[in-house]
Amino acid sequence: SPETISAMLERIEQDNVKFLRLQFTDLLGLPKNVAIPVKQAEKALTGGIGFDGSSIEGFVRIEESDMVLKPDLSTYTLLPWRPRENRVARFICDVCKPDGHSFEGDPRYVLQRAMEDAAKDGYVFNTGPELEFFLFKVLDGRPTTQFQDGGGYFDLAPTDLAEDLRREAVLALTEMGFEIEASHHEVAESQHEIDFKYSDALHTADNVITFKFAVKTMALMRGLHASFMAKPIYGINGSGMHTNCSLAKDGANAFYDPDAPLQLSKTCMHFIGGLLRHAKAITRVANPTINSYKRLVPGYEAPCYISWSASNRSTLIRVPAPRGNSTRVEFRSPDPTCNPYLAFAAMLTAGMEGVREEIEPPVGAGNNIYHMTSVERDRAGIETLPGDLYEAHQALIADDLICRALGPHVVEALTNATNAEWDAYRTAVHPWELDRYLATY
Ligand code: ADP
Ligand code: MG
Ligand code: MG
Ligand code: MG
Ligand code: MG
């Protein structure tokens, strides 16, 4: 409304902002932005700013390329690492067509649609992701895979050399409105995790994008590369983005029922049922790179079997111990290369089908399923996640519900992306092959 816009313009002036970044996300989940001088603010906030969508991955063809960025006023924040004078602020934008309608290829819109659908039954989807990343040395301006430190889980200095960087990142993110819950050295050398408080899935997806580029920026300022790649190094843990999920109804956690078995409500159990039913298709958007599948292998705390458990950490879905308002299910397959808007939309849609169709999950996996033989797993009906991007994409195409949630535009763009990526990978000759065959044959 005009009042909110004029209040926003006033705030921009009070903050001494001279540049505005209008930010959005492409299909791959990479942030894009255009900077405008503050003089254009009123125009941008009232009518939006036009741009050429044909140059953006997964957006549109040349002949229909006029797009408009409409800032979401609630996403206003200063960029703390930019100069303290003549400041820079950013808005996350919705992408619209020239006729003012939402653009079907905007990942943010995909998630908004899924959330509106859940809202019909009175539900708000809350997500709390745990993003892991590596800090690597940079040589001659190029990131390497050389560790910055040799620390391990919860280590302190001097083994942990990143405490200053984590501190700076936490301070910057806090200034940007994040509520940081914890930060720590992760299991692998030079691997870290910073946790922020859960929120509704749209806000959280915005936060994931902001988080990654803030951490990358802070690392760069210290001459380091922060990598969110799923499995940068063979033989050690990859980086995950465990996603803690819950539904709220009328302000209360709908997964909590003090009188139910495990104190988990029917809604919670059915949500798990839906997630498990569509787990294979969800994988395509939760694990969208060729490399993602190098993480989903046994032995490194990442899931590969489709199962759930209230106790052990090897399953795809774990129910963490806290109850009451913290009752949640932890979906452990996503990795930080995912486009969080698409991944959350797929998860929510799957979970909501479970709730609506009252899908009972199979019995929880009790003992560690990694210690079962494949015969025992077969007998228990435990299936595996797709083994590579191609297989995951086939699972997506076969899943009407998840395809409908993403919409035909996004599914087509993902198909093109998969084909191109898979062909490039399939035809390349990898170092492993040379090591294996060159001397022998
Ligand atoms: P872990 O024990 O798996 O390491 P963390 O403590 O690192 O888990 O992260 C837990 C995440 O779950 C945090 O982001 C937190 O905000 C989030 N969370 C807590 N309660 C809920 C809830 N009700 N719904 C969704 N996420 C939640
Ligand atoms: Mg954690
Ligand atoms: Mg924890
Ligand atoms: Mg972790
Ligand atoms: Mg976790």
Side-chain angles (χ1 to χ4, degrees):
S1 72
E3 299 94 80
T4 19
I5 290 177
S6 69
M8 192 77 242
L9 290 168
E10 222 164 275
R11 179 151 171 215
I12 289 172
E13 198 181 320
Q14 271 164 15
D15 284 344
N16 192 23
V17 168
K18 291 292 182 287
F19 300 95
L20 289 172
R21 301 271 189 93
L22 304 183
Q23 188 191 315
F24 61 103
T25 306
D26 72 6
L27 185 82
L28 305 179
L30 300 177
K32 300 282 162 187
N33 76 181
V34 50
I36 58 170
V38 72
K39 268 204 156 125
Q40 306 291 325
E42 187 168 357
K43 178 173 168 243
L45 297 193
T46 43
I49 292 281
F51 76 105
D52 173 6
S54 68
S55 305
I56 302 295
E57 183 67 35
F59 271 27
V60 285
R61 291 179 297 275
I62 309 275
E63 58 270 24
E64 43 194 42
S65 59
D66 285 330
M67 303 260 120
V68 180
L69 293 176
K70 292 209 170 142
D72 178 338
L73 299 194
S74 71
T75 64
Y76 171 82
T77 179
L78 296 165
L79 298 185
W81 54 84
R82 298 297 297 152
R84 295 273 150 177
E85 275 167 38
N86 299 328
R87 300 204 65 162
V88 181
R90 77 91 210 265
F91 288 103
I92 295 176
C93 301
D94 290 313
V95 183
C96 297
K97 296 183 282 196
D99 66 7
H101 286 108
S102 302
F103 168 50
E104 303 83 355
D106 178 11
R108 205 168 187 254
Y109 176 54
V110 172
L111 179 55
Q112 285 163 339
R113 270 196 330 247
M115 292 181 71
E116 274 163 28
D117 180 63
K120 286 182 200 151
D121 289 9
Y123 289 114
V124 176
F125 184 40
N126 285 318
T127 54
E130 309 167 43
L131 283 116
E132 296 172 335
F133 58 94
F134 281 85
L135 290 175
F136 291 123
K137 290 184 183 165
V138 175
L139 283 181
D140 300 330
R142 294 180 129 259
T144 67
T145 50
Q146 282 178 36
F147 298 129
Q148 183 226 10
D149 71 33
Y153 196 61
F154 276 28
D155 268 347
L156 276 68
T159 340
D160 168 17
L161 295 177
E163 54 183 14
D164 284 336
L165 174 65
R166 286 205 305 273
R167 176 189 143 88
E168 277 162 24
V170 168
L171 291 174
L173 290 165
T174 304
E175 251 185 83
M176 296 176 84
F178 281 67
E179 190 175 332
I180 302 295
E181 293 189 330
S183 73
H184 60 84
H185 203 293
E186 253 304 337
V187 170
E189 292 164 297
S190 231
Q191 191 187 31
H192 305 275
E193 176 174 317
I194 300 176
D195 298 314
F196 53 89
K197 189 171 195 272
Y198 73 93
S199 186
D200 68 85
L202 184 67
H203 188 199
T204 302
D206 287 345
N207 280 347
V208 168
I209 302 292
T210 305
F211 179 93
K212 287 194 281 189
F213 89 76
V215 170
K216 279 177 179 294
T217 304
M218 312 303 289
L220 198 62
M221 287 163 70
R222 291 190 157 259
L224 294 167
H225 176 65
S227 176
F228 292 88
M229 190 174 166
K231 183 85 172 186
I233 295 166
Y234 169 74
I236 67 175
N237 281 22
S239 292
M241 192 183 96
H242 296 170
T243 301
N244 293 266
C245 308
S246 64
L247 290 174
K249 196 174 204 170
D250 302 324
N253 188 321
F255 280 5
Y256 179 56
D257 177 354
D259 303 320
L262 296 169
Q263 300 189 311
L264 299 176
S265 69
K266 287 243 171 271
T267 307
C268 178
M269 297 310 289
H270 296 152
F271 195 91
I272 293 173
L275 276 178
L276 291 174
R277 177 185 282 180
H278 296 283
K280 290 181 183 176
I282 298 170
T283 306
R284 172 59 185 88
V285 282
N287 307 88
T289 59
I290 298 268
N291 178 256
S292 295
Y293 297 83
K294 311 278 164 92
R295 168 178 165 262
L296 299 176
V297 297
Y300 301 96
E301 298 182 41
C304 27
Y305 306 113
I306 301 177
S307 64
W308 75 282
S309 166
S311 54
N312 87 53
R313 282 185 182 254
S314 63
T315 52
L316 173 62
I317 297 171
R318 174 178 78 105
V319 185
R323 290 294 184 268
N325 220 19
S326 302
T327 312
R328 58 188 189 257
V329 301
E330 183 191 36
F331 193 62
R332 296 167 56 80
S333 57
D335 70 58
T337 63
C338 75
N339 181 329
Y341 301 101
L342 301 184
F344 294 169
M347 290 160 62
L348 171 59
T349 305
M352 279 308 300
E353 183 181 81
V355 171
R356 285 170 177 152
E357 296 186 8
E358 306 189 352
I359 301 172
E360 291 295 339
V363 282
N367 41 10
N368 193 324
I369 42 186
Y370 289 89
H371 296 148
M372 293 165 87
T373 64
S374 59
V375 176
E376 285 170 330
R377 272 193 301 270
D378 279 350
R379 214 175 286 142
I382 298 172
E383 291 192 89
T384 53
L385 288 174
D388 58 46
L389 183 65
Y390 187 81
E391 194 187 330
H393 193 71
Q394 302 314 307
L396 169 66
I397 297 301
D399 190 319
D400 284 345
L401 181 81
I402 305 301
C403 284
R404 254 182 288 129
L406 297 174
H409 180 105
V410 168
V411 172
E412 190 192 328
L414 288 175
T415 301
N416 294 337
T418 311
N419 290 342
E421 198 77 347
W422 190 252
D423 266 351
Y425 175 63
R426 197 172 58 80
T427 54
V429 177
H430 303 272
W432 182 90
E433 295 168 82
L434 295 177
D435 284 351
R436 193 82 158 189
Y437 305 127
L438 188 64
T440 314
Y441 292 97

